Amino acid sequence: MRYQLEVPIVAHEQLADYEYEITVHAPQVAREAMPGQFLQVLYDQTYNPFTRRPFSVYRVDPEKGTFSIVYLARGVFTLGLRNKQVGQNLSIVGPLGNWFQPDPNPDATHVMVAGGVGAPPLYFLAQRLSCGDRTDCRVGVINGARSKELLVGIEEFDELRIDVQYTTDDGSHGLRGIVTDALLKLLDSADGPVHVYTCGPTAMMRAVVAICVHRGIPCQVSLETLMPCGLGVCMGCVVKIKDESATGYQYLRSCYEGPVFRADEIIWE
Amino acid sequence: MRYQLEVPIVAHEQLADYEYEITVHAPQVAREAMPGQFLQVLYDQTYNPFTRRPFSVYRVDPEKGTFSIVYLARGVFTLGLRNKQVGQNLSIVGPLGNWFQPDPNPDATHVMVAGGVGAPPLYFLAQRLSCGDRTDCRVGVINGARSKELLVGIEEFDELRIDVQYTTDDGSHGLRGIVTDALLKLLDSADGPVHVYTCGPTAMMRAVVAICVHRGIPCQVSLETLMPCGLGVCMGCVVKIKDESATGYQYLRSCYEGPVFRADEIIWE
Amino acid sequence: MAVTKPDLSVTLGPLKLKNPVMTASGTFGFGQEWAEFFDLGALGAIMVKAVTVKPRLGNPMPRMVETPAGTLNSIGLQNPGVEAFIAEKMPYLRQFDTAVIVNIAADRMDDYNTLAERLDGVPGIAALEVNISCPNQECGGLEFGRDPALTRQVIESIRTRTKLPVIAKLSPNVTDITVLAPAAADGGADILSLINTFVGTAIDIKKRTFKLANRTGGLSGPCIKPLALYMVWRVAQAVDIPIIGMGGVSTPSDAIEFLLAGASAIATGTINFVNPHAATEIVAGIEEYLAAQGASSVAEIVGTVSR
Amino acid sequence: MAVTKPDLSVTLGPLKLKNPVMTASGTFGFGQEWAEFFDLGALGAIMVKAVTVKPRLGNPMPRMVETPAGTLNSIGLQNPGVEAFIAEKMPYLRQFDTAVIVNIAADRMDDYNTLAERLDGVPGIAALEVNISCPNQECGGLEFGRDPALTRQVIESIRTRTKLPVIAKLSPNVTDITVLAPAAADGGADILSLINTFVGTAIDIKKRTFKLANRTGGLSGPCIKPLALYMVWRVAQAVDIPIIGMGGVSTPSDAIEFLLAGASAIATGTINFVNPHAATEIVAGIEEYLAAQGASSVAEIVGTVSR
Ligand SMILES: Cc1cc2nc3c(=O)[nH]c(=O)nc-3n(C[C@H](O)[C@H](O)[C@H](O)COP(=O)(O)OP(=O)(O)OC[C@H]3O[C@@H](n4cnc5c(N)ncnc54)[C@H](O)[C@@H]3O)c2cc1C
Ligand SMILES: Cc1cc2nc3c(=O)[nH]c(=O)nc-3n(C[C@H](O)[C@H](O)[C@H](O)COP(=O)(O)OP(=O)(O)OC[C@H]3O[C@@H](n4cnc5c(N)ncnc54)[C@H](O)[C@@H]3O)c2cc1C
Ligand SMILES: Cc1cc2nc3c(=O)[nH]c(=O)nc-3n(C[C@H](O)[C@H](O)[C@H](O)COP(=O)(O)O)c2cc1C
Ligand SMILES: Cc1cc2nc3c(=O)[nH]c(=O)nc-3n(C[C@H](O)[C@H](O)[C@H](O)COP(=O)(O)O)c2cc1C
Ligand code: FES
Ligand code: FES
C-alpha cells in the first residue's frame, strides 16, 4: 500500500561530514516497507526544489513504528534537507517500487555489494536475511566507499553477526581497494550457489554485474535514475530492459517495475 | 548608504501569538538607519516566495551593532520566517527609503500615532526625539491595537519616559477604543504647535490624516504598499502624490521618495 | 455560509461530470497507479495518457528536467498503442464511477481518423481529447495545433468519425490563441482543453549538451499558471463552447482562478507528481469556496471575474 | 585552469562591450539607484527603462503580482519622456565607463521615428533597443513585435533615422520566433534582444477581480528561463546577427546556458530586484567558467552546445 503522509521527524543525526540519517515515525511504512523500496520526499511546502526525491528505506523498527533514510548532502535538495529539525514534519510518499527477491534456494549464499549511499537498502535486506543466533544462513556483505567516514552502517552491519567485509579506496577501513576486488575473492572461495544483490554508484554496479554475468551468477541490481514522480505515471525514469520485441528492448519504469532489476536483463546506456 | 548583506540572527523572540522580533548583527545598518526606513528581507536562497519583503527598523543598538524588526506572521512569507534560527543568516538589503523629518520648531509637540505593526518605526522615532533626563522635550505617543497582545513595544515605550497612551479595541490595555479617540483628546488639550507622525493600517492612517488636515496640523505618514524591489527601479510601489501637472498628481515611489509622505500631498485610492 | 451543500456537478456541452476536477493527460497514467491514494470515483474525470495507433517506445533518457516551479518533459508519447489500451487499460478504468477521457495523439491525419474510429463505441469512454498541441520536437510530427486551418481540419475529420464528445486540446505556443480556439470550434469541437505545455529547454553547462536527450521539451507546472490563466480568460471571451482549464493548477485557489476566468472545469497536471492528493484537495476546496460565496453550483461562478 | 585571465570583452556587430553582462530595461531604472551597490562600470552595458516621446504616468496600481519563481508586471511604461531623459538622466549615466543602451517604446510608428531622430547624436548613447514587444494590454498600443511585416517596417524606419546600432527586442508571444527574427534582421537590426515578457494574469478569488489594475501583465523571472533559452537557441540557428539573451537569467550558470545556446551576451532582469549583485556575480562566474573550460574569450563558447 502506498501512502502520502506528513510524518514527524524523531531523530536527525550527522553520520559523517556530508552524511545524515533522518528517522521518522510512520508505523504503516515501518510495517509494510520491503528491502529495496524507497520513499518520495518533499523538500518543503514552497515546492522549491519542485519535485520530490527518492530515498531508500534504511533501518525499520516496526515496534517503535519508525524507519530511517540516509542521505549524502550533495545538491540543493539534500543540502537543504539538513535544516529539517526534530519535531518538524517530513512529507513522504511510499513505500514505492519493487524490492529485492531473496534467492529461494536454502543453500544459496546471499552476497550484498554496497557502495556509498547504496548501502541502506542492502542493510535492510541483510537484516531480513540474517538469522541472528542461527548459523545455517549464509549472508555476506561487501560494503565499500572512498573512505571510512563515507561507509554507511558499519556498526549496524557488524551487529547483524554476518560476514561483512569493508573496502575503502584509501584503506582507512577494511581492505584498501574497491568492492569488486573483495567480490572476486569471495566468489572464488564460495562453495555452493551464490546470489548477488547490489546497490551503489552506477559505475560500481556495472563492474559487479560484469563479473556476475561473466560467471553466470544471478544478480539483482537497484538502479538509480531521476524520479520525477516515483509513482509510475510520468515515464521520466525509464530504463532499457531486454525483451522479445523487434527493437530487442522496452522502456520500463525504474520507479514501478524497478528500481530492482535482474542484471542480465538490463541494457546499460 | 544601501547595503546587501548576509547578517547573523542574534535573537528571535515571540512577542505575542503571531508577533515575533528578529534581531540581527549589522553594524553598518545599526549606525546609519533612520526612523521610518526599512530593510528588504529575503525569504531564502530558493527564492520562493520570490520577492523580498520590506520590514521597518525597530530597535537599534549602535554599540552592539544590532538592530531588530518586528513581524506579524500572517502570510506565506512571515509564517515561514518563524523557522529562521538564531545563528542562521538573514539576507537583507537596506536601509532603504526616506525617513520621518522631526519638526524643527523647538516648541513643537511631537505626537506619534501607531497602529499594530506600524509601531516599530515610530518607536525608533520616539526614542530619537525623547530626551531621557531632560524635561524640555515634548513627545507623545498613542499606540493602538485590537488587543493588548497585539500592542508592539509596551515595555520599550514605557522606558522612554515620554507620555505614552495605549488604546485597544477590547480595552485589554489602556483606553478601550481606537487611536483617533485618544488623538482628538490629546489635540484638544495640547498647547502650542503639534506635529503628527503616523504608521499603521491604512484605514487608521486615513482617519488620523483626516483629523490633522481638518485641523491644519502637519502630519507625516508612512505608507504601506507592495514593494517588488524596494530599490526604486521597478515602479511597482507607486502612490499618487499631488503636483502642479495637468492631471494634478504624479506617481511617486513609496520605496524611494517614500515611504514617508506629507499627509496633505497624498491622494488616497 | 450556504446551508445546503453546493452542487459540484458540471455540464460541459454533451459531457456531464460529477465535479469539475480532472487529472491531465500524461500526469496520471491510466489511473491504476493512483488507486491506493484515493477512490478514482472522487474525480470528475480521468484524462488518460496519450494513446497512439501503434505502441510507442518513447524518447531516450533523460526525459525530464526540473526547473524553477516546474518541469520540462519530452517523454515522446510512450504508450502501449490503442489496441493494448482497449484490451488492458479500459477494463480497469471501467470499474470506477468517473468519466474516462481518452487523449489521442498522432502526427498524421490518417492516424487521428483511425484512432477516432477505433475508439468510437468502446464502452466506458466519455470523450476524446485530441492532442493537436504536443510540442513539435516532442512528437516528431507536425504540430497541427499551431495552424488554424489544420486545427479545423483535424477536428472536423475526427468529428465525422465519432459519436463521442470531441475535446480539442490547444497549444499555447501561438501568437494568438483566440484565432486557434474558434477554428477548433468551427471544426466541431464540443469542448476545448487549454493548455498543453510550452516549448522550452535546458543546458548542462559542464557537458555543454542539452539536459534532455530530445534537446527540447514541454514546460509545465506552477511556473506557467499565469500564462495558462490568461489564455483561458481570452478564449472564454472568444468562443461559446466550454473550456477545461489546465496549466499549473496546483491548489484550490489556482483552480478557482481558472473557473472565475471562464473555465467550466479544470485539470491538475504536474502537481500530481508532487502532491498525489492535489485533485481531491481541490474538489474539497472548490466546495468550500462555493459555500463561502453562497453559490449553489459551480456554473454560478464560472467566468465571473469582474473586468 | 587557464593561466592567463580570459578576455571578457564581446563584440556584438557594431557594439563593443567590456563584458557580456547587461541589466535589462525596466529592472535597473536609469542606474542611479544602483550606484551604492557597485560601480556601474562593472557592467557590460546598462539598458535603461523604456523612454517614450512624452512623459508617461504609467498604469494604476496594483502593477505587480508575485508568481511562482517570477512576477507579473504592468507598469505601463512610466517614464519622464525623452526630453527629461536626455536632460536629467544622461548626464549621470555618462559618468560611468559602461555602455548606455536606450530602450525606446511607442505605440505609433511616428513616435518611434521621433525617438530615433531625437536620440541620434546625443553623446554617451551606445545603442538603441527598440521595444516592439511590450505586451499589448501593457502598452495600450499595437504590439508591432507580433507581426513580421510590421517588425520589419518599424526597424527599417528607425534604421534610416539613426547612426546608432539598432537592437530589436522581440516578443516571445508568437507562434514562431524564427519568423520574427529574420524580419527584424532584414529591417536592418544590428542585434536582437530576446526576450521580453510573456503575457499572463492572476485573479484575486476573494474580490473576484484581476490582481493587476490593468488586468494582465508580463511574466518574467526564473519561471520563464526554459522558454527564453529555447527561443535564443532557435533564433541563433535562424539569423547571423548577434543575440542578447534574457529571460530569467539569475545565476552564472543560467547566463552560461544562454551563451552556449548562442547568445553573444546576456541581461539580468527581475533577479536584480531580489539579488542586486546578480549581474556582477554573473560577470565573475562567467570568467571562472571560461578559465575552467580553458577558453580565452567569451566568443569561444558562444553557441557551442552540442546538438
Ligand atoms: C531508488 C532510489 C533511491 C535512492 N536512495 C538514496 C538514498 O538512500 N540516499 C541518498 O543520498 N540518495 C538516494 N538517491 C538519490 C537521491 O534521490 C537524489 O537524487 C540525490 O539526493 C541527488 O542529490 P540532490 O537531490 O541534493 O541534488 P539536486 O542538485 O537537488 O538534484 C540533482 C540534479 O538532479 C535534478 N533532478 C532531481 N530530481 C529531478 C526530477 N524529478 N526531474 C528532473 N531533474 C531532477 C536536479 O535538478 C539536479 O540537476 C536515490 C535515488 C533513487 C532513484
Ligand atoms: C515600508 C514598509 C514597512 C513594513 N514594515 C513591516 C513591519 O515592520 N512588520 C510587518 O510585519 N510588516 C511590515 N510591512 C509589511 C510586510 O512587508 C509584508 O507585506 C507583510 O509581511 C505581508 O505578509 P506576508 O509577506 O507574510 O504575506 P504574503 O502572503 O507572503 O504576501 C502578501 C501578499 O502580497 C503579495 N506580495 C508580496 N510581495 C509582493 C511583491 N513584491 N510583488 C507582488 N506581490 C507581492 C503576495 O504574493 C501575497 O499575495 C511593511 C511594509 C512596508 C511597505
Ligand atoms: C510528464 C508529462 C506528460 C504529458 N503527457 C501528455 C500527453 O500524453 N498528452 C497531452 O495532451 N498532454 C500531456 N501533457 C500535458 C499535460 O496534460 C498538461 O496539459 C500540461 O502539463 C499543463 O498542465 P500542468 O502545468 O498542470 O502540468 C503531459 C505533461 C507532463 C508533465
Ligand atoms: C518591472 C519590469 C519592467 C520592465 N520594463 C521594460 C521596459 O520598459 N522595456 C522593455 O523592453 N522591457 C521591460 N521589461 C522586460 C525586461 O527587460 C526583460 O526583457 C524581461 O523581464 C525578461 O527578463 P527577466 O525574466 O530576467 O526579467 C520589464 C520587466 C520588468 C520585470
Ligand atoms: S518517476 Fe515517474 S514514472 Fe517513474
Ligand atoms: S518597490 Fe520597486 S520601485 Fe519601489
Side-chain angles (χ1 to χ4, degrees):
Chain A
M1 178 80 180
R2 23 171 81 182
Y3 305 92
Q4 177 177 3
L5 306 165
E6 297 284 317
V7 294
I9 297 170
V10 296
H12 192 170
E13 273 145 32
Q14 179 160 21
L15 307 180
D17 247 10
Y18 282 89
E19 233 166 53
Y20 300 77
E21 178 176 11
I22 295 189
T23 308
V24 296
H25 185 260
Q28 312 93 312
V29 178
R31 211 179 313 114
E32 301 173 27
M34 298 293 285
Q37 286 195 296
F38 63 93
L39 279 298
Q40 283 283 82
V41 175
L42 184 69
Y43 184 77
D44 71 16
Q45 298 303 339
T46 66
Y47 296 140
N48 187 338
F50 182 58
T51 59
R52 292 173 181 259
R53 304 279 197 270
F55 295 89
S56 305
V57 176
Y58 175 35
R59 296 199 284 172
V60 302
D61 185 331
E63 283 69 46
K64 287 213 193 85
T66 63
F67 78 92
S68 75
I69 61 169
V70 171
Y71 66 93
L72 185 68
R74 58 189 179 288
V76 186
F77 189 101
T78 46
L79 288 170
L81 216 49
R82 295 178 300 174
N83 297 328
K84 296 274 180 199
Q85 314 281 327
V86 169
Q88 290 181 341
N89 277 355
L90 196 68
S91 171
I92 58 172
V93 174
L96 299 167
N98 71 344
W99 49 88
F100 290 106
Q101 302 293 334
D103 192 318
N105 180 342
D107 305 335
T109 303
H110 306 283
V111 176
M112 282 132 233
V113 185
V117 285
L122 292 176
Y123 168 79
F124 190 8
L125 178 63
Q127 186 199 36
R128 287 284 171 97
L129 292 176
S130 68
C131 43
D133 303 335
R134 292 189 358 264
T135 55
D136 60 343
C137 65
R138 306 168 165 192
V139 182
V141 171
I142 300 169
N143 188 3
R146 285 204 309 290
S147 66
K148 174 172 183 177
E149 65 159 25
L150 288 172
L151 280 170
V152 175
I154 297 179
E155 280 178 28
E156 291 72 10
F157 276 109
D158 291 348
E159 282 170 3
L160 293 180
R161 297 193 250 143
I162 53 179
D163 158 35
V164 189
Q165 298 178 49
Y166 298 95
T167 69
T168 50
D169 302 6
D170 61 5
S172 51
H173 191 70
L175 254 81
R176 166 188 242 98
I178 57 177
V179 290
T180 42
D181 305 336
L183 177 61
L184 287 167
K185 282 213 200 62
L186 190 150
L187 294 178
D188 292 338
S189 61
D191 54 349
V194 174
H195 197 117
V196 172
Y197 314 81
T198 186
C199 184
T202 301
M204 178 209 89
M205 294 196 289
R206 291 187 69 160
V208 170
V209 166
I211 293 171
C212 293
V213 170
H214 176 258
R215 300 196 175 204
I217 295 169
C219 174
Q220 295 176 43
V221 183
S222 177
L223 295 176
E224 178 168 336
T225 67
L226 287 180
M227 290 195 176
C229 77
L231 306 171
V233 298
C234 77
M235 301 297 156
C237 66
V238 297
V239 289
K240 273 189 182 169
I241 300 298
K242 294 177 189 150
D243 73 357
E244 273 58 55
S245 68
T247 54
Y249 69 87
Q250 60 181 321
Y251 281 119
L252 293 187
R253 298 162 291 185
S254 67
C255 75
Y256 204 76
E257 286 82 14
V260 179
F261 292 94
R262 272 179 32 224
D264 55 4
E265 63 183 1
I266 300 169
I267 299 177
W268 300 88
E269 304 216 273
Chain B
M1 177 81 178
R2 25 171 80 182
Y3 305 93
Q4 178 178 3
L5 305 165
E6 295 285 317
V7 294
I9 297 170
V10 296
H12 192 170
E13 271 145 34
Q14 179 161 20
L15 307 179
D17 248 9
Y18 282 89
E19 232 166 54
Y20 299 79
E21 178 176 10
I22 295 189
T23 308
V24 295
H25 184 260
Q28 311 93 311
V29 179
R31 210 180 312 111
E32 301 173 28
M34 298 291 287
Q37 286 195 297
F38 63 94
L39 280 297
Q40 283 284 85
V41 176
L42 184 68
Y43 185 78
D44 71 16
Q45 299 302 339
T46 66
Y47 296 139
N48 187 338
F50 182 59
T51 59
R52 291 173 182 260
R53 304 279 196 271
F55 294 90
S56 305
V57 176
Y58 176 34
R59 295 198 285 169
V60 303
D61 186 330
E63 282 69 48
K64 289 215 192 86
T66 63
F67 79 92
S68 75
I69 61 170
V70 171
Y71 66 93
L72 185 67
R74 57 189 178 290
V76 186
F77 190 102
T78 46
L79 288 170
L81 216 48
R82 295 178 301 175
N83 297 329
K84 297 272 182 202
Q85 313 281 326
V86 169
Q88 290 180 342
N89 278 353
L90 196 67
S91 171
I92 58 172
V93 173
L96 299 166
N98 71 344
W99 49 89
F100 290 106
Q101 302 295 333
D103 192 319
N105 180 342
D107 305 336
T109 303
H110 305 282
V111 176
M112 282 133 232
V113 185
V117 284
L122 293 175
Y123 168 79
F124 190 8
L125 178 63
Q127 186 199 36
R128 287 284 171 95
L129 293 176
S130 68
C131 43
D133 304 336
R134 289 184 5 262
T135 55
D136 60 343
C137 65
R138 306 171 165 187
V139 182
V141 171
I142 300 169
N143 188 3
R146 283 204 311 287
S147 65
K148 175 172 184 178
E149 65 159 27
L150 290 173
L151 280 169
V152 175
I154 296 179
E155 281 177 26
E156 291 73 12
F157 275 110
D158 291 347
E159 282 169 3
L160 294 180
R161 297 197 245 138
I162 54 177
D163 158 34
V164 189
Q165 297 178 49
Y166 299 95
T167 68
T168 49
D169 303 5
D170 61 3
S172 50
H173 191 69
L175 252 82
R176 166 188 242 96
I178 57 178
V179 290
T180 43
D181 306 337
L183 178 60
L184 287 167
K185 280 210 200 65
L186 189 151
L187 294 179
D188 292 339
S189 61
D191 54 347
V194 174
H195 198 118
V196 172
Y197 315 81
T198 186
C199 184
T202 302
M204 178 209 91
M205 293 196 289
R206 291 188 68 161
V208 170
V209 165
I211 292 170
C212 294
V213 170
H214 176 258
R215 298 191 175 206
I217 295 169
C219 174
Q220 295 177 42
V221 183
S222 177
L223 294 176
E224 178 169 337
T225 66
L226 287 179
M227 290 195 176
C229 77
L231 305 170
V233 298
C234 77
M235 301 297 156
C237 66
V238 298
V239 289
K240 274 188 182 168
I241 300 297
K242 293 177 189 151
D243 74 356
E244 273 58 55
S245 69
T247 53
Y249 70 86
Q250 60 181 321
Y251 281 120
L252 293 186
R253 298 162 292 185
S254 67
C255 74
Y256 204 76
E257 286 82 15
V260 179
F261 292 95
R262 271 179 33 224
D264 56 2
E265 63 183 1
I266 301 168
I267 299 177
W268 300 90
E269 304 216 275
Chain C
M1 284 281 175
V3 193
T4 57
K5 268 178 152 254
D7 172 13
L8 288 182
S9 69
V10 291
T11 305
L12 285 67
L15 187 62
K16 308 225 173 315
L17 306 176
K18 62 163 57 156
N19 70 55
V21 180
M22 328 186 189
T23 48
S25 177
T27 68
F28 204 73
F30 297 101
Q32 264 132 326
E33 296 81 0
W34 239 264
E36 290 180 341
F37 289 124
F38 53 74
D39 168 12
L40 298 182
L43 297 169
I46 296 174
M47 298 166 134
V48 301
K49 172 75 183 161
V51 172
T52 54
V53 173
K54 299 246 158 303
R56 291 218 190 168
L57 273 171
N59 292 330
M61 287 281 283
R63 295 176 169 187
M64 210 124 162
V65 178
E66 190 179 36
T67 70
T71 64
L72 278 168
N73 85 84
S74 64
I75 305 305
L77 300 180
Q78 174 171 359
N79 82 97
V82 67
E83 291 309 331
F85 166 72
I86 294 170
E88 294 156 26
K89 305 298 182 182
M90 277 311 296
Y92 177 83
L93 288 165
R94 272 189 211 104
Q95 308 170 73
F96 302 95
D97 172 27
T98 188
V100 175
I101 296 173
V102 181
N103 183 272
I104 57 173
D107 29 49
R108 301 207 324 277
M109 186 76 78
D110 299 354
D111 291 353
Y112 277 117
N113 297 340
T114 310
L115 287 163
E117 282 161 356
R118 182 64 185 89
L119 289 163
D120 191 38
V122 172
I125 298 179
L128 297 183
E129 183 183 44
V130 188
N131 178 3
I132 50 172
S133 48
C134 180
N136 253 321
Q137 300 73 0
E138 149 87 335
C139 304
L142 172 64
E143 195 176 331
F144 290 89
R146 287 196 188 190
D147 177 277
L150 280 172
T151 297
R152 186 197 167 113
Q153 235 178 17
V154 180
I155 300 300
E156 233 160 22
S157 122
I158 290 171
R159 171 74 289 166
T160 61
R161 288 172 169 77
T162 180
K163 290 172 294 307
L164 290 168
V166 172
I167 305 169
K169 185 163 182 178
L170 302 185
S171 166
N173 302 295
V174 296
T175 303
D176 186 355
I177 195 157
T178 62
V179 173
L180 279 299
D186 296 347
D190 303 291
I191 303 166
L192 298 176
S193 274
L194 267 61
I195 56 172
N196 210 316
T197 56
F198 286 85
V199 187
T201 192
I203 292 173
D204 181 322
I205 68 168
K206 291 209 178 52
K207 301 202 195 106
R208 291 210 207 174
T209 58
F210 290 95
K211 284 186 176 175
L212 294 168
N214 188 46
R215 300 215 302 268
T216 66
L219 185 67
S220 64
C223 54
I224 66 167
K225 195 205 92 186
L227 310 182
L229 185 63
Y230 168 73
M231 291 184 173
V232 165
W233 175 64
R234 287 296 310 283
V235 169
Q237 323 293 313
V239 298
D240 319 323
I241 59 175
I243 297 167
I244 302 167
M246 63 192 80
V249 175
S250 307
T251 64
S253 141
D254 292 338
I256 292 158
E257 283 187 73
F258 277 80
L259 297 174
L260 294 175
S264 302
I266 63 92
T268 57
T270 309
I271 194 64
N272 296 328
F273 304 162
V274 182
N275 176 10
H277 282 85
T280 46
E281 286 170 10
I282 288 172
V283 173
I286 291 174
E287 180 164 11
E288 240 177 67
Y289 179 81
L290 291 176
Q293 299 281 315
S296 58
S297 76
V298 176
E300 267 178 51
I301 68 162
V302 169
T304 58
V305 62
S306 66
R307 319 197 44 222
Chain D
M1 285 280 176
V3 192
T4 56
K5 266 180 156 253
D7 173 11
L8 288 181
S9 69
V10 291
T11 304
L12 285 68
L15 186 62
K16 308 224 174 316
L17 305 176
K18 62 163 59 156
N19 71 53
V21 181
M22 329 185 188
T23 48
S25 177
T27 67
F28 203 73
F30 297 102
Q32 264 131 324
E33 296 79 1
W34 239 265
E36 290 180 342
F37 289 124
F38 53 74
D39 168 13
L40 298 183
L43 297 169
I46 296 174
M47 298 166 133
V48 300
K49 172 73 183 163
V51 172
T52 52
V53 172
K54 298 250 158 303
R56 290 219 191 167
L57 273 171
N59 292 330
M61 288 280 282
R63 293 175 168 186
M64 213 127 160
V65 178
E66 191 181 35
T67 69
T71 64
L72 277 168
N73 85 84
S74 64
I75 305 304
L77 300 179
Q78 175 172 358
N79 82 96
V82 68
E83 292 309 330
F85 166 73
I86 294 170
E88 294 154 27
K89 305 297 182 184
M90 276 311 296
Y92 176 83
L93 288 165
R94 275 190 208 100
Q95 308 171 71
F96 302 95
D97 171 27
T98 188
V100 175
I101 295 173
V102 182
N103 182 270
I104 57 173
D107 29 48
R108 301 208 322 280
M109 186 75 80
D110 299 354
D111 291 353
Y112 278 117
N113 297 339
T114 310
L115 288 163
E117 281 161 357
R118 182 66 185 87
L119 289 163
D120 191 37
V122 171
I125 298 179
L128 297 184
E129 182 183 46
V130 188
N131 177 3
I132 50 171
S133 48
C134 180
N136 254 323
Q137 299 73 2
E138 149 87 337
C139 304
L142 173 63
E143 195 177 332
F144 290 89
R146 286 196 189 191
D147 177 279
L150 280 172
T151 297
R152 189 199 166 112
Q153 234 179 20
V154 179
I155 300 300
E156 232 160 22
S157 121
I158 289 171
R159 171 74 292 166
T160 62
R161 288 171 169 78
T162 181
K163 291 173 293 305
L164 291 168
V166 172
I167 305 169
K169 185 164 182 178
L170 301 185
S171 166
N173 302 295
V174 296
T175 303
D176 186 354
I177 196 159
T178 61
V179 172
L180 278 299
D186 296 347
D190 303 291
I191 304 167
L192 298 176
S193 274
L194 267 61
I195 56 171
N196 209 317
T197 56
F198 286 84
V199 188
T201 193
I203 292 173
D204 181 323
I205 67 168
K206 291 208 180 50
K207 300 201 192 105
R208 289 208 207 176
T209 58
F210 290 95
K211 284 186 177 176
L212 294 168
N214 188 47
R215 300 215 302 268
T216 66
L219 185 67
S220 64
C223 55
I224 66 168
K225 196 206 90 184
L227 310 182
L229 185 64
Y230 168 73
M231 291 184 173
V232 165
W233 175 64
R234 288 296 308 285
V235 169
Q237 324 293 311
V239 299
D240 319 325
I241 58 176
I243 297 167
I244 302 167
M246 64 191 80
V249 176
S250 307
T251 63
S253 142
D254 291 338
I256 292 158
E257 283 186 75
F258 277 80
L259 296 175
L260 294 175
S264 300
I266 62 92
T268 57
T270 309
I271 194 65
N272 295 327
F273 304 162
V274 181
N275 176 11
H277 283 85
T280 46
E281 287 171 10
I282 288 172
V283 173
I286 291 174
E287 179 163 11
E288 243 177 64
Y289 179 81
L290 292 176
Q293 299 281 315
S296 59
S297 75
V298 176
E300 267 179 51
I301 69 161
V302 169
T304 58
V305 61
S306 67
R307 320 196 45 221

